[in-house]
Every structure is written in structure tokens, then in C-alpha cells.
Amino acid sequence: MNRTGAQILCESLVREGVEVIFGISGGTVIPLYDAFSEYPQIRRVLVRHEQAAAHAAAGYARTKQKAGVCVATSGPGATNLVTGIADAYMDSTPMVVITGQVATSFIGKDAFQECDITGITLPIIKHNYLVHDVRDLARIVKEAFHIAQTGRPGPVLIDIPKSVQMAVTEFEYPDSVDLPGYKPTAEPDYSHVTCAAELLNRAERPVIMAGRGVIVSQAYEELRQLAEMYQAPVVHTMLGLGSFPPQHDLDLGMIGHHGTVAANKTVQAADLVLAVGTRFGDRATMRTRDFAPHAVVVHIDIDPAEIGKNVIPFASVVGDAKTVLNMLIPLVQPAVRPEWIQQIRTWRSTHPLVPCARTSKLSARTVIRNVCRSADSHTVIVTGVGQHQMFTAQEYMSPRTNGLISSGGLGTMGFELPAAIGAQLASPEDAVWVVAGDGGFQMTMQELSTVVQEGLSIKIAIISNGYLGMVRQWQDLFQQRNYVDVALHAPDFVKLADAYGITAMRVETEEEIGPALRKANEHSGPFLIDFVVDAEENVYPMVAPGASLDCIIESPEKVAA
Amino acid sequence: MEEKLHTLVALVQDEPGVLTRIAGLFRRRGFNIESLSVGHCEQHRLSRMTIVVKGDDAEVDQVTRQLDKLINVVSVTDITRCDMVARELALIKVTATSEDRSEIMQMVDIYRAKIVDVAPDSVTVEITGGEDKIDSLLTLLRPFGITEMARTGRTALIRGAKSSINN
Ligand SMILES: Cc1ncc(C[n+]2csc(CCOP(=O)(O)OP(=O)(O)O)c2C)c(N)n1
Ligand SMILES: [Mg+2]
């Protein structure tokens, strides 16, 4: 049957199991939107800014573990997506981005709203396409979903000229892809696995470093089995939080720049680091030269280019985390190491995370601790970027796997609210909590309108410290308190919420925290709480930029020994 | 680690934008391409690229792995340590007065190069060979005055029946 390009796209999306798309229409996607109306099985979410469409697609993708889809018109619509695409690329988020483009006959003529979005996104995308001929469209959509969702996931963009959307051809959806240059998942080399196992069997003070790869490959059970049987403590990169139960006796929380003392000390004292699904980002390793100085590093990753990129491992296995762990586990000897385990317990118990507000005002840590403690296995927490994000990562205690969604690699302020919209749509039966900073929230708060229009029950905790807090902390500690452009005005968030038709309240004392959270959770619609907190509480522990993981500042007074 | 020149051979899909993707990757990851030559090859709709890049082994290994990840790159191999035939072509326009002309022709002969164009006061020399051979001819021709030169950059295959590309 003959169909237009726009219809072919819709048919293809349906075949890929797409249920939701986030976007805003415009001149070059009008034919597309016209066709969308014939496909009510695909829910359209109209956002207020295209950046939010991309972040929402990311929140959806990370929660649902399948590609999120967003749509924008050419020119400004497409450029507004760029931050969200870069964010998805850095955090290996599967995403298919669809942009309109001017008609093929206008390309290269600087036509109205023409913009070379495939050129712009080249360095921040897994792959992209400009569709020249409607006959290629179905194949390209098939390939795009395949590329986005296999191997190390990532964003893929399809730029579709308006003329291609309107052109007509026979529709046939391919059952397979032919991509000779794409090698998403290598079968793990057995000899590499045995080599890794031998190293593990020889180690006395091992630690497992879990990254987002564990979540992507859903290797939760394997990770747990290995850690328990082999008696290795588990530390996480920020994006690896949610891959192992935080209440577990072997869990030490996050490593790195704001990692726990126990996690950082464990890595620095270990004689073996088994890194699973991590790219050894600099915020996790800090000074790479001094990372795990006594350890043999064994690196498991699906992306061969990550092996040796930042940290040179002694041994490595390229492959999917779940597959590799399943091959590894039978080769690893069960172990007991009471001294090592005692040591890590001591580090954990002697270095608790403590609120350190400088005034009698609320501590942001206390607020966030309460939010995290009230999260159950049906709660997803989504954060912005800054101090509140680090507090959340440190205090994360949820029993839910993959329960924390945060912008890691790009560190995108404004990610929180739109990503929460995506997460809520991916998991309608779950509670979605946003932990936002008063700075970052102002970058995408227009999406409150989307929350209302879509009838989403998102709960929002704004941590109002009156500052771009994380930058203020750096200026405090490293620029002699020379506060430059970090104090910021915010609207009255309670009134703002009210203007959008969202119930809201302000909390200024500790006694109010519990009841407010309960009230929010019991409320049937969206709910916003503005927590007015101490302006100058800093996030500790902290490893100074450029320092090694064991140079830990534990508090303003104390450097961990 | 020691920096040296590496020869990478890549089979890439013959599609618009492939060159940009590859060049962009080198730029983004902070690598300099010493030379790049590209053209059709024995396989339909694929091109073969020879890329010469300077770096230590670990750096070049990293760039090779990154290149291999590009969807349009079918395969890429570092053939530096293989026994290979590596050639470059250069066109060199030399000022040639009538008294210098025979001396230039002699050198061209010794190097088994060719004169491909003759004008009243210049000649254009075509030479194919390894970079060293071309460099040394250039050293000899320079005193006469080189007005223009174009070099293609290295193109290479490994010797023997084996394919340069491990598929
Ligand atoms: C889009 C963007 N711009 C700038 C930054 C740099 N930056 C990192 S944290 C931060 C402050 C965040 O302030 P706020 O949202 O209030 O959170 P807080 O640190 O106060 O908890 C800034 C400006 C960023 N990460 N992202
Ligand atoms: Mg703030």
C-alpha cells in the first residue's frame, strides 16, 4: 500500500513499539503531526521547549530501558534539542530524535529555518541520518532504533525534509538491518574471562566498581551474586547508583569527587578493582594517575573504546555486563575475608554523612535524606545538577533498582523536571520525585505546564538555598569566598505552582518535613514543596579538583586520615 | 611512550558525510591527521582510506577503537607493524632554466620519476614512492626553486595474499 513519508514514519514507530513521543510542532513537521493524528496508539506529549522534549525522552528511556522518542521542527526546534542530545550521548541513553528539515530542493540555500542539524550533532551523537529519498525512510527508522538500543546505547537523529514527509511510496518495514560497520556486542572472549577470574581468585582486598552499564544490561542479580559469593564490597559511579541495594552490608555508596569516605578509601586500599560498565569518568576516579594505586584493575565494558581510554586496566573483557558476569561467576572461587570486610565496615561506620548547615535554617542534606528515606521500591527519584544532586546521590537509599535518574556526564541543569515527565510516563504506576535546585529548576520550570496538561502526579522538592550552590561552594573553598554571580533571585515557587494549578507548600523547619512529604505522596495530583534551606551548607565529603581519591575533605574542619 | 607515525587502513561506506565524521572524530579527540587518502576500492560501495596519524601506541589504539565505532566505518586496522607497500604520489613544479634542465632530468631518472609537463622555464615532475624517497628528491630539487607541489599522502596495502583489513 502506498503511503506518505509521514505515514511511513508513524507505521515504523508503531512497529518499534513506540508508545510516547515528546515534541513541539512547526513548519517542517506539519505533515508529520498531521499523520500522527491517525495514530492514537502513540501518545503525543506537547512540551514547552524542545530541550525538555529531549530530556523527557531521556527520562522515559532510562526508566523504561528502551529508546525514548522526541520530535522537533527544523532550525530553532532542532537546535533546542542539542543539549538534550549531548546529555543522552554522555549518559549512553537510547533515544531516537526526529527533526523536520526544509524540502530537499531548499537544502543548502539558507532557506527559512534551515539548519544543518546532522552537522551540528555529529560529535554528540551515536549516529544520524538526513533522509534524501522517501524509499529509504523505513530502513533508516529501523536502523536508528537498532543502533540506539543495542550495544552501548545512545541517541540517533533522523532529519526528514518536509518534501520526504509528503512524498509517497510503497511501505514495507524491513525485518532486519544490514549494517556491516556496526558491531554492537562482541561475544566475550573466554580466555579474557578466565584471565579476569584468575586475578580475582588471587586478590585479597577486592572491590567492585559498578557503573551504569550494570543497569543498562540489567545485571543486578549477577552483580549481587558475585559480590556476596566473592565477598567484595561494591562502590558506584554516580550513574551506577541503583544497580546494587544501598542497604546491603557490602554497599559503600558512591566514589569520586563527592564519594563517601568509605568508598574512596576502599578503592585506594584495594588490591583489585573489578570495574563493570563504567568509563572511569574523571569525577569518579579523580586524578587518574593516583586511582587505586595498589590495585590490579579488571575492566568489563561493552564498548571496546573504553578499555584503556582513561584508566589502563591490567585485564579486560569486552562484552555485555550480564553476559560477562554470568561467564565469570562460575570461575570465581567463593571467599571469606573477614578482615577486609571488617575494615570497610569500620570506614563506613566511622565516617557518617552529617548535615552541616551553618545557621539554624534547614539543612539541605536533612531534607534530601528524608526524601530518599521515604522512597520505596515504587519511587523514582530524578535530580537536577548541583549540591542537591550530590546530596541525593550520597543519601540515595532506595530499594528500587534503577531508581535514580540524574544527568551525569554532561551535568545538565534543567534536566530534572522534563526527565521526570518522561520517567512518569514510562512508569505511570510509580511515584516520581524531583529533587531540584532553585537555580536549575528555573531553567526548565515552564514544563510545570506540561505536567498539568498531561495530568501527571509528579512530586517536586525544590531545595531553595538562594544560590547556584555548587558554584558557590567552589568559590567558597577555592576562590576565597569571592562570590561572583551565584546569589540568585527566584520567584515565589508556591505562588508559581499555584499559577499553574499545582498544589504547593513551603517548608522551613525540620518538624514539617515528614508531614509535608506524606501530604505530597497522598495528594492525587502533582505537588510542589519549596524547602527553604541554609544558604551555605557545603557538600562533604569532597575530593578537591585535581586531587587523588584519598585526599578527602570530610568537613570544613576535618581532612579524613 | 614514544610518538611515531602509524598507518591505519579503513574500509568505509561510500556515503555523504563519511569524511566529515572521520575528520570530526580526529578533531574532537585531539588527534592530528598527518595525511589521509581515500578512493574507491575492490568492494562495491566501499572506499578505502589510508590515514597516517602520529601518536604513541596507546593513543593510536584509542583512536582506532573510536574510528571502529563509527557506523559507516566497516573496519579499521593499524598496519604499521605489518610488512606493507606504502606509496605516495607527488607532483612537483620546478623552476628549470635551460642550463639546469639536464641536471634536473638526470635526477628525475635516478629516482625513476617522470617529467609530466614542460614549460619554457619550468618542469613538472611526477614521483611515486615512499615518503623518504619523495623527501630526498625534494631536497635535491629545492635549490632549483620549487614553485608548487602537491602530495597525495600515503596509500598502503599489506604485502602478500592476506587482506589488509581484518573483517
Ligand atoms: C546548564 C548548566 N549551566 C551551568 C552549569 C554549572 N553549574 C553546575 S552546578 C550549578 C549550580 C546549580 O544551582 P542550583 O540548581 O540552585 O543547585 P544547588 O547547587 O544550589 O543545589 C551550576 C551553575 C551546569 N551544570 N549546567
Ligand atoms: Mg540552589
Side-chain angles (χ1 to χ4, degrees), chain A residues 410-439:
Chain A
L410 201 66
T412 313
M413 286 168 72
F415 174 81
E416 56 275 47
L417 184 58
I421 292 173
Q424 184 73 82
L425 282 154
S427 223
E429 62 296 341
D430 289 336
V432 175
W433 268 92
V434 174
V435 178
D438 47 355

PDB file of all heavy atoms in Angstrom, chain A residues 410-439:
ATOM      1  N   LEU A 410      27.130  14.985  31.275  1.00  0.00           N
ATOM      2  CA  LEU A 410      27.044  16.381  30.838  1.00  0.00           C
ATOM      3  C   LEU A 410      26.739  17.296  32.022  1.00  0.00           C
ATOM      4  O   LEU A 410      27.069  18.466  31.984  1.00  0.00           O
ATOM      5  CB  LEU A 410      25.971  16.542  29.752  1.00  0.00           C
ATOM      6  CG  LEU A 410      26.106  17.795  28.870  1.00  0.00           C
ATOM      7  CD1 LEU A 410      27.361  17.740  28.009  1.00  0.00           C
ATOM      8  CD2 LEU A 410      24.878  18.006  27.998  1.00  0.00           C
ATOM      9  N   GLY A 411      26.122  16.758  33.056  1.00  0.00           N
ATOM     10  CA  GLY A 411      25.772  17.584  34.217  1.00  0.00           C
ATOM     11  C   GLY A 411      24.870  18.729  33.821  1.00  0.00           C
ATOM     12  O   GLY A 411      25.193  19.902  34.009  1.00  0.00           O
ATOM     13  N   THR A 412      23.693  18.398  33.288  1.00  0.00           N
ATOM     14  CA  THR A 412      22.818  19.398  32.695  1.00  0.00           C
ATOM     15  C   THR A 412      21.804  19.945  33.685  1.00  0.00           C
ATOM     16  O   THR A 412      20.847  19.258  34.050  1.00  0.00           O
ATOM     17  CB  THR A 412      22.048  18.770  31.511  1.00  0.00           C
ATOM     18  OG1 THR A 412      22.968  18.054  30.684  1.00  0.00           O
ATOM     19  CG2 THR A 412      21.339  19.833  30.695  1.00  0.00           C
ATOM     20  N   MET A 413      22.003  21.173  34.141  1.00  0.00           N
ATOM     21  CA  MET A 413      20.971  21.813  34.960  1.00  0.00           C
ATOM     22  C   MET A 413      19.709  21.934  34.118  1.00  0.00           C
ATOM     23  O   MET A 413      19.783  22.201  32.921  1.00  0.00           O
ATOM     24  CB  MET A 413      21.406  23.219  35.385  1.00  0.00           C
ATOM     25  CG  MET A 413      22.470  23.271  36.454  1.00  0.00           C
ATOM     26  SD  MET A 413      23.123  24.951  36.607  1.00  0.00           S
ATOM     27  CE  MET A 413      21.756  25.795  37.400  1.00  0.00           C
ATOM     28  N   GLY A 414      18.577  21.739  34.727  1.00  0.00           N
ATOM     29  CA  GLY A 414      17.326  21.838  33.991  1.00  0.00           C
ATOM     30  C   GLY A 414      16.848  20.494  33.477  1.00  0.00           C
ATOM     31  O   GLY A 414      15.786  20.386  32.874  1.00  0.00           O
ATOM     32  N   PHE A 415      17.640  19.464  33.739  1.00  0.00           N
ATOM     33  CA  PHE A 415      17.298  18.108  33.305  1.00  0.00           C
ATOM     34  C   PHE A 415      16.112  17.565  34.110  1.00  0.00           C
ATOM     35  O   PHE A 415      15.295  16.788  33.599  1.00  0.00           O
ATOM     36  CB  PHE A 415      18.531  17.230  33.526  1.00  0.00           C
ATOM     37  CG  PHE A 415      18.370  15.756  33.274  1.00  0.00           C
ATOM     38  CD1 PHE A 415      18.429  15.242  31.985  1.00  0.00           C
ATOM     39  CD2 PHE A 415      18.198  14.856  34.333  1.00  0.00           C
ATOM     40  CE1 PHE A 415      18.307  13.880  31.751  1.00  0.00           C
ATOM     41  CE2 PHE A 415      18.074  13.500  34.107  1.00  0.00           C
ATOM     42  CZ  PHE A 415      18.134  13.006  32.816  1.00  0.00           C
ATOM     43  N   GLU A 416      16.023  18.008  35.378  1.00  0.00           N
ATOM     44  CA  GLU A 416      15.178  17.325  36.360  1.00  0.00           C
ATOM     45  C   GLU A 416      13.694  17.234  36.003  1.00  0.00           C
ATOM     46  O   GLU A 416      13.137  16.130  35.923  1.00  0.00           O
ATOM     47  CB  GLU A 416      15.368  17.950  37.753  1.00  0.00           C
ATOM     48  CG  GLU A 416      15.120  19.468  37.879  1.00  0.00           C
ATOM     49  CD  GLU A 416      16.321  20.335  37.518  1.00  0.00           C
ATOM     50  OE1 GLU A 416      16.933  20.079  36.457  1.00  0.00           O
ATOM     51  OE2 GLU A 416      16.643  21.290  38.256  1.00  0.00           O
ATOM     52  N   LEU A 417      13.049  18.375  35.807  1.00  0.00           N
ATOM     53  CA  LEU A 417      11.592  18.337  35.604  1.00  0.00           C
ATOM     54  C   LEU A 417      11.204  17.625  34.303  1.00  0.00           C
ATOM     55  O   LEU A 417      10.363  16.719  34.321  1.00  0.00           O
ATOM     56  CB  LEU A 417      10.998  19.752  35.685  1.00  0.00           C
ATOM     57  CG  LEU A 417       9.476  19.833  35.577  1.00  0.00           C
ATOM     58  CD1 LEU A 417       8.788  19.018  36.670  1.00  0.00           C
ATOM     59  CD2 LEU A 417       9.006  21.298  35.644  1.00  0.00           C
ATOM     60  N   PRO A 418      11.823  17.979  33.170  1.00  0.00           N
ATOM     61  CA  PRO A 418      11.459  17.241  31.951  1.00  0.00           C
ATOM     62  C   PRO A 418      11.779  15.752  32.033  1.00  0.00           C
ATOM     63  O   PRO A 418      10.966  14.922  31.578  1.00  0.00           O
ATOM     64  CB  PRO A 418      12.285  17.909  30.846  1.00  0.00           C
ATOM     65  CG  PRO A 418      13.051  19.003  31.457  1.00  0.00           C
ATOM     66  CD  PRO A 418      12.692  19.137  32.893  1.00  0.00           C
ATOM     67  N   ALA A 419      12.906  15.400  32.624  1.00  0.00           N
ATOM     68  CA  ALA A 419      13.242  13.969  32.729  1.00  0.00           C
ATOM     69  C   ALA A 419      12.208  13.256  33.596  1.00  0.00           C
ATOM     70  O   ALA A 419      11.850  12.099  33.338  1.00  0.00           O
ATOM     71  CB  ALA A 419      14.641  13.786  33.297  1.00  0.00           C
ATOM     72  N   ALA A 420      11.716  13.959  34.608  1.00  0.00           N
ATOM     73  CA  ALA A 420      10.698  13.355  35.479  1.00  0.00           C
ATOM     74  C   ALA A 420       9.406  13.112  34.707  1.00  0.00           C
ATOM     75  O   ALA A 420       8.719  12.105  34.921  1.00  0.00           O
ATOM     76  CB  ALA A 420      10.442  14.259  36.678  1.00  0.00           C
ATOM     77  N   ILE A 421       9.089  14.010  33.801  1.00  0.00           N
ATOM     78  CA  ILE A 421       7.893  13.827  32.962  1.00  0.00           C
ATOM     79  C   ILE A 421       8.027  12.526  32.177  1.00  0.00           C
ATOM     80  O   ILE A 421       7.103  11.706  32.120  1.00  0.00           O
ATOM     81  CB  ILE A 421       7.706  15.041  32.015  1.00  0.00           C
ATOM     82  CG1 ILE A 421       7.333  16.280  32.839  1.00  0.00           C
ATOM     83  CG2 ILE A 421       6.669  14.749  30.928  1.00  0.00           C
ATOM     84  CD1 ILE A 421       7.295  17.584  32.050  1.00  0.00           C
ATOM     85  N   GLY A 422       9.205  12.322  31.603  1.00  0.00           N
ATOM     86  CA  GLY A 422       9.449  11.089  30.856  1.00  0.00           C
ATOM     87  C   GLY A 422       9.377   9.863  31.757  1.00  0.00           C
ATOM     88  O   GLY A 422       8.763   8.852  31.411  1.00  0.00           O
ATOM     89  N   ALA A 423      10.001   9.965  32.924  1.00  0.00           N
ATOM     90  CA  ALA A 423      10.023   8.829  33.855  1.00  0.00           C
ATOM     91  C   ALA A 423       8.600   8.464  34.280  1.00  0.00           C
ATOM     92  O   ALA A 423       8.236   7.291  34.350  1.00  0.00           O
ATOM     93  CB  ALA A 423      10.874   9.165  35.075  1.00  0.00           C
ATOM     94  N   GLN A 424       7.786   9.503  34.544  1.00  0.00           N
ATOM     95  CA  GLN A 424       6.414   9.252  34.981  1.00  0.00           C
ATOM     96  C   GLN A 424       5.609   8.553  33.881  1.00  0.00           C
ATOM     97  O   GLN A 424       4.847   7.628  34.149  1.00  0.00           O
ATOM     98  CB  GLN A 424       5.737  10.562  35.378  1.00  0.00           C
ATOM     99  CG  GLN A 424       4.344  10.376  35.934  1.00  0.00           C
ATOM    100  CD  GLN A 424       4.339   9.784  37.346  1.00  0.00           C
ATOM    101  OE1 GLN A 424       4.510  10.488  38.325  1.00  0.00           O
ATOM    102  NE2 GLN A 424       4.156   8.486  37.452  1.00  0.00           N
ATOM    103  N   LEU A 425       5.816   8.968  32.645  1.00  0.00           N
ATOM    104  CA  LEU A 425       5.088   8.332  31.547  1.00  0.00           C
ATOM    105  C   LEU A 425       5.576   6.910  31.302  1.00  0.00           C
ATOM    106  O   LEU A 425       4.816   6.044  30.866  1.00  0.00           O
ATOM    107  CB  LEU A 425       5.199   9.179  30.281  1.00  0.00           C
ATOM    108  CG  LEU A 425       4.259  10.388  30.327  1.00  0.00           C
ATOM    109  CD1 LEU A 425       4.770  11.515  29.455  1.00  0.00           C
ATOM    110  CD2 LEU A 425       2.853   9.985  29.913  1.00  0.00           C
ATOM    111  N   ALA A 426       6.847   6.680  31.598  1.00  0.00           N
ATOM    112  CA  ALA A 426       7.390   5.330  31.413  1.00  0.00           C
ATOM    113  C   ALA A 426       6.872   4.401  32.487  1.00  0.00           C
ATOM    114  O   ALA A 426       6.767   3.193  32.284  1.00  0.00           O
ATOM    115  CB  ALA A 426       8.916   5.379  31.447  1.00  0.00           C
ATOM    116  N   SER A 427       6.579   4.950  33.631  1.00  0.00           N
ATOM    117  CA  SER A 427       6.221   4.134  34.792  1.00  0.00           C
ATOM    118  C   SER A 427       5.051   4.776  35.525  1.00  0.00           C
ATOM    119  O   SER A 427       5.209   5.282  36.623  1.00  0.00           O
ATOM    120  CB  SER A 427       7.450   4.103  35.703  1.00  0.00           C
ATOM    121  OG  SER A 427       7.675   2.852  36.204  1.00  0.00           O
ATOM    122  N   PRO A 428       3.870   4.760  34.898  1.00  0.00           N
ATOM    123  CA  PRO A 428       2.747   5.535  35.432  1.00  0.00           C
ATOM    124  C   PRO A 428       2.333   5.106  36.841  1.00  0.00           C
ATOM    125  O   PRO A 428       1.845   5.922  37.611  1.00  0.00           O
ATOM    126  CB  PRO A 428       1.607   5.247  34.443  1.00  0.00           C
ATOM    127  CG  PRO A 428       2.233   4.609  33.257  1.00  0.00           C
ATOM    128  CD  PRO A 428       3.527   4.016  33.690  1.00  0.00           C
ATOM    129  N   GLU A 429       2.589   3.847  37.174  1.00  0.00           N
ATOM    130  CA  GLU A 429       2.120   3.386  38.491  1.00  0.00           C
ATOM    131  C   GLU A 429       3.077   3.783  39.614  1.00  0.00           C
ATOM    132  O   GLU A 429       2.756   3.651  40.781  1.00  0.00           O
ATOM    133  CB  GLU A 429       1.844   1.874  38.466  1.00  0.00           C
ATOM    134  CG  GLU A 429       3.002   0.935  38.168  1.00  0.00           C
ATOM    135  CD  GLU A 429       3.620   1.079  36.771  1.00  0.00           C
ATOM    136  OE1 GLU A 429       3.003   1.652  35.823  1.00  0.00           O
ATOM    137  OE2 GLU A 429       4.763   0.632  36.628  1.00  0.00           O
ATOM    138  N   ASP A 430       4.256   4.292  39.255  1.00  0.00           N
ATOM    139  CA  ASP A 430       5.240   4.651  40.274  1.00  0.00           C
ATOM    140  C   ASP A 430       5.156   6.123  40.656  1.00  0.00           C
ATOM    141  O   ASP A 430       4.661   6.952  39.894  1.00  0.00           O
ATOM    142  CB  ASP A 430       6.656   4.356  39.769  1.00  0.00           C
ATOM    143  CG  ASP A 430       6.918   2.861  39.705  1.00  0.00           C
ATOM    144  OD1 ASP A 430       6.243   2.112  40.430  1.00  0.00           O
ATOM    145  OD2 ASP A 430       7.786   2.458  38.920  1.00  0.00           O
ATOM    146  N   ALA A 431       5.656   6.408  41.862  1.00  0.00           N
ATOM    147  CA  ALA A 431       5.769   7.804  42.272  1.00  0.00           C
ATOM    148  C   ALA A 431       7.073   8.362  41.712  1.00  0.00           C
ATOM    149  O   ALA A 431       8.103   7.694  41.766  1.00  0.00           O
ATOM    150  CB  ALA A 431       5.779   7.896  43.785  1.00  0.00           C
ATOM    151  N   VAL A 432       7.005   9.548  41.148  1.00  0.00           N
ATOM    152  CA  VAL A 432       8.224  10.180  40.656  1.00  0.00           C
ATOM    153  C   VAL A 432       8.479  11.441  41.471  1.00  0.00           C
ATOM    154  O   VAL A 432       7.618  12.321  41.556  1.00  0.00           O
ATOM    155  CB  VAL A 432       8.121  10.508  39.152  1.00  0.00           C
ATOM    156  CG1 VAL A 432       9.345  11.281  38.690  1.00  0.00           C
ATOM    157  CG2 VAL A 432       7.959   9.235  38.335  1.00  0.00           C
ATOM    158  N   TRP A 433       9.645  11.480  42.096  1.00  0.00           N
ATOM    159  CA  TRP A 433      10.041  12.634  42.893  1.00  0.00           C
ATOM    160  C   TRP A 433      11.154  13.387  42.199  1.00  0.00           C
ATOM    161  O   TRP A 433      12.161  12.794  41.804  1.00  0.00           O
ATOM    162  CB  TRP A 433      10.526  12.185  44.280  1.00  0.00           C
ATOM    163  CG  TRP A 433       9.416  12.174  45.291  1.00  0.00           C
ATOM    164  CD1 TRP A 433       8.610  11.116  45.615  1.00  0.00           C
ATOM    165  CD2 TRP A 433       8.993  13.283  46.105  1.00  0.00           C
ATOM    166  NE1 TRP A 433       7.710  11.500  46.579  1.00  0.00           N
ATOM    167  CE2 TRP A 433       7.918  12.821  46.901  1.00  0.00           C
ATOM    168  CE3 TRP A 433       9.409  14.615  46.230  1.00  0.00           C
ATOM    169  CZ2 TRP A 433       7.256  13.651  47.823  1.00  0.00           C
ATOM    170  CZ3 TRP A 433       8.750  15.431  47.144  1.00  0.00           C
ATOM    171  CH2 TRP A 433       7.683  14.952  47.928  1.00  0.00           C
ATOM    172  N   VAL A 434      10.974  14.687  42.092  1.00  0.00           N
ATOM    173  CA  VAL A 434      12.028  15.536  41.544  1.00  0.00           C
ATOM    174  C   VAL A 434      12.735  16.200  42.720  1.00  0.00           C
ATOM    175  O   VAL A 434      12.083  16.761  43.598  1.00  0.00           O
ATOM    176  CB  VAL A 434      11.427  16.642  40.645  1.00  0.00           C
ATOM    177  CG1 VAL A 434      12.517  17.610  40.186  1.00  0.00           C
ATOM    178  CG2 VAL A 434      10.709  16.039  39.462  1.00  0.00           C
ATOM    179  N   VAL A 435      14.058  16.103  42.735  1.00  0.00           N
ATOM    180  CA  VAL A 435      14.826  16.913  43.688  1.00  0.00           C
ATOM    181  C   VAL A 435      15.538  17.969  42.844  1.00  0.00           C
ATOM    182  O   VAL A 435      16.390  17.638  42.018  1.00  0.00           O
ATOM    183  CB  VAL A 435      15.838  16.066  44.478  1.00  0.00           C
ATOM    184  CG1 VAL A 435      16.643  16.954  45.431  1.00  0.00           C
ATOM    185  CG2 VAL A 435      15.125  14.963  45.249  1.00  0.00           C
ATOM    186  N   ALA A 436      15.124  19.226  43.026  1.00  0.00           N
ATOM    187  CA  ALA A 436      15.613  20.294  42.147  1.00  0.00           C
ATOM    188  C   ALA A 436      16.329  21.369  42.949  1.00  0.00           C
ATOM    189  O   ALA A 436      16.043  21.579  44.128  1.00  0.00           O
ATOM    190  CB  ALA A 436      14.438  20.919  41.400  1.00  0.00           C
ATOM    191  N   GLY A 437      17.251  22.056  42.288  1.00  0.00           N
ATOM    192  CA  GLY A 437      17.866  23.241  42.887  1.00  0.00           C
ATOM    193  C   GLY A 437      17.056  24.453  42.469  1.00  0.00           C
ATOM    194  O   GLY A 437      16.364  24.431  41.442  1.00  0.00           O
ATOM    195  N   ASP A 438      17.158  25.524  43.246  1.00  0.00           N
ATOM    196  CA  ASP A 438      16.388  26.713  42.879  1.00  0.00           C
ATOM    197  C   ASP A 438      16.954  27.387  41.628  1.00  0.00           C
ATOM    198  O   ASP A 438      16.271  28.164  40.964  1.00  0.00           O
ATOM    199  CB  ASP A 438      16.290  27.709  44.053  1.00  0.00           C
ATOM    200  CG  ASP A 438      17.623  27.977  44.744  1.00  0.00           C
ATOM    201  OD1 ASP A 438      18.632  27.327  44.397  1.00  0.00           O
ATOM    202  OD2 ASP A 438      17.651  28.847  45.635  1.00  0.00           O
ATOM    203  N   GLY A 439      18.198  27.069  41.294  1.00  0.00           N
ATOM    204  CA  GLY A 439      18.779  27.603  40.065  1.00  0.00           C
ATOM    205  C   GLY A 439      18.342  26.791  38.857  1.00  0.00           C
ATOM    206  O   GLY A 439      17.714  27.303  37.918  1.00  0.00           O
TER     207      GLY A 439
END
